[in-house]
Amino acid sequence: MTHDHDLVLRPTPAQTEAALNPPAGRTGGDLVVETLAALGATTVFGLPGQHALGMFDALRRSDLRYIGLRVENNAGFAADAYGRITGEAAPLLLSTGPGALTSLPALQEAAAASAPVLAISSQVPTAGLGGGRHGYLHELPDQAASFRGVVKSVHTVRAQSQIPSAIEAAWKSALSAPHGPVWVEIPQDVLLAETAIPVVTGGDAFPEELPPRPELTAVAADLLSNAARPAIIAGGGVVRADASGKLKQLAERLRAPVVTTPGGKGAFPWTHPLSLQSWLEDRHTTDFLEDADVLLVVGSGLGELSSNYHTFQPRGRIVQIEADLGKLESNHPALGIHADARLALQALLETVTPREDATAPDRVRDLLAKVADRIAAQDLTLEQDVLAAVRRALPADSPSFWDMTILAYWAWSAFDAKGPNHLHSAQGAGGLGYAFPAALGAAVADPTRPVLAVSGDGGAPYSIAELATARQYGLNVTWLIVDDGGYGILREYMTDAFGEATATELTRPDFVALAESFGVPGVRTTPENLERDLAKALASPGPSVVLLPAVLRMFAPTHLD
C-alpha cells in the first residue's frame, strides 16, 4: 500500500548532472541566497558587516534585489512593511552583535503586528559559539538569547548542510498564522567557506494552515445566530489573513455592527451602514460594545488600545477568534477559537443562520453622532482639518505609515483607510522611527503607488539617514513631518499629570534644508496649504518631504472618567 507521504520526487537527468557538478567558487553565503530564491524571495533588505560579508558577496551571484538601508533597525522596519504589503516573508540580512541587536525594536514591532520578517544574521566563527569568552569581534555569550523573547522562532546553523533546512523552517514559521518575525544565525566561517553542496533548487514554501475546530465554530454560529444585539471587533488578524471580504459578508448576514482596532484599520468599509468605524478610545463605543449580548472578536487580543485602556467590561458572551495562542482569552473569558481569521470566518459563514435586525443601522448612526458631538465640544477644528487634508491629498489606493505622534493617534480613531492593508502604524510595540523606513519598504514592494509617511519632529530624527536610501533608490515616498518643537504627546501627558512638562522640548533642525542636503525636495507648508502641497508631493516621482509646523492636541480621553 502506497501513501502520499511515501512518494519522493525524482530528479531529472539535468538536475542530477547539476547536483553532481556544482559550480566552483560557491560558499555558504551562496547557499543562503539560493535557498531564499528557491523559496520565492525576490528582494532582501539589510546592512553589511564584517561577519556577514559571505552573504553579501553571494548576492552579486544571484538575481535577488538588495535594498540597503543606513541603520539596521530601519532595515527591519522596511522589511516589516514589505512583508505586510506583499504577504511574503521579507528577508533581512544583518551582521553579528551590535548590528543584530540594533534590529530588535523593529522585530518587536513586527512581532506585535504579525508581520513576516525573516532575519538572517551572521555569528562569530564556530569556535566561538557556546558562551565562552574568546574575544571575537562582536562576540556575545548567547546572541540568540536576545531574540528568543521577541521573535517566533530561533534557528542556529553550525554547518553548511543545515543552511537550506534552517532557512526553510524559518520561512514557514514566519508565514504560518500568526505571521511574525523569525531569526536565523550562521557563523562567519560557515558563510565564507567554499562548498561542494549542490545548488539549492527547491524548497517547501507552503506554511502550515490553522483551521478552527468544528465543534467550536458550531457553538459560535449558534450563539451569533440567536443573539439579540451581536457586535464585532475586527483586529489586525483580519488584515493579515486577507479576510476583510469574509468579515463583511458575515457582518451583513448577522446584521452586526463592526468596529475596527488600530491594527485592523480598513478591515471593514468606513461608510458601511454597520460600520462603527474605529472610535475604540471613546466611552460611547465602549458602552455600545459592553451592551452586546454576543461579541465576536476577530484577530484581536483586546489589549490596551482595543479595550479603551482596559476599561471595557463586557456583559455578554465573547467569541474570540485568534491565531496567536498567547492572546486567546488573555484579557477576557471567551469561547476561544485558535484559528486563522480567514478560515474561521469561512466556517462561520457556512454555519450561521441569517438574522433580521432593522434597528442595527440606526443604532450605529446614533453611536457615531454621540462620538461626533463629543469631539465637536472640544474645539479641535485644527486637528480635524489637518487629518481631513491628509485624507483628501492621499490617493485612495495608497498605503500610509504613521509614527507614534499625535496626528497618528487621531488617525487610529478618525482616519478612513479606504481599504484593508492601507494604514499601518507603530502601535503594536509603540517605538519611534517606524513611519519613514516602513514607507520605503512599501514603496519597494509596490512602486506603482505613492506612499505616505507621517512623523513628528521627535520621531523623524530616528530616520533622517534614510533620506539617502530614498534618494539612492528613487523611492516614491512623501514624508510629512509635523513639527511642534518637542515630544508633543508626552508634553500633554506630563502637563495633565504634573502641571508642567519636563524633558519634552527639542531643538530641531530645519527639516526642509536637511532634506534638500540629501537631494530630496522639501517644502514648508501651513494647515491651509497642506492639502495642496501634500498632493503635489505625492504626485511627483521620487522622495519628498513636507514640513508642517503646528501644535496639535489630542481629544480628551474617556478611560480616565
Side-chain angles (χ1 to χ4, degrees), residues 177-178 209-213 217 237 241 298-299 320-325 328 336-345:
E209 290 194 331
L210 186 59
R213 298 181 64 86
T217 54
V298 191
Q320 185 184 15
I321 297 168
E322 178 54 58
D324 188 336
L325 193 59
L328 204 62
I337 302 175
H338 182 219
D340 176 75
R342 183 180 180 86
L343 299 178
L345 288 172

Side-chain angles (χ1 to χ4, degrees), residues 5 41 61 66 77 107 142 177 236 243 267 277 324 328 377 435 447 450 488 523 558:
H5 58 261
R61 294 186 289 277
Y66 170 66
F77 284 142
L107 296 178
D142 186 357
Q277 300 179 359
D324 188 336
L328 204 62
V523 61
T558 61

Side-chain angles (χ1 to χ4, degrees), residues 436 466-472 477 479 511-523 542-545:
F436 188 56
E466 305 311 336
L467 285 167
T469 302
R471 182 76 176 91
Q472 180 173 343
V477 175
W479 192 6
F511 286 104
V512 171
L514 188 56
E516 290 174 344
S517 75
F518 283 90
V520 173
V523 61
S544 58
V545 167

Side-chain angles (χ1 to χ4, degrees), residues 45 51 66 169 178 244 246 258 272 279 319 457 464 473 507 525 543:
F45 298 86
H51 289 165
Y66 170 66
S244 58
K246 295 186 183 301
V258 179
H272 191 284
W279 287 98
V319 176
D457 60 294
I464 287 296
Y473 296 103
T507 298
T525 191

Side-chain angles (χ1 to χ4, degrees), residues 77 84 109 262 265 383 386-391 394 398-417 422-428 430-439 451-456 459 479-480 482 530 534 552:
F77 284 142
R84 296 192 201 195
E109 178 59 42
K265 294 287 291 187
E383 290 75 10
V386 167
L387 195 64
V390 174
R391 179 61 280 171
L394 182 66
S398 282
S400 58
F401 293 81
W402 304 68
D403 220 328
M404 299 296 285
T405 187
I406 287 177
L407 193 60
Y409 304 157
W410 270 91
W412 292 348
S413 295
F415 194 80
D416 178 3
H422 282 182
L423 187 148
H424 305 273
S425 73
Q427 57 87 24
L432 283 174
Y434 169 80
F436 188 56
V451 182
L452 174 67
V454 180
S455 299
W479 192 6
L480 172 62
V482 182
L530 174 61
L534 191 58
L552 305 180

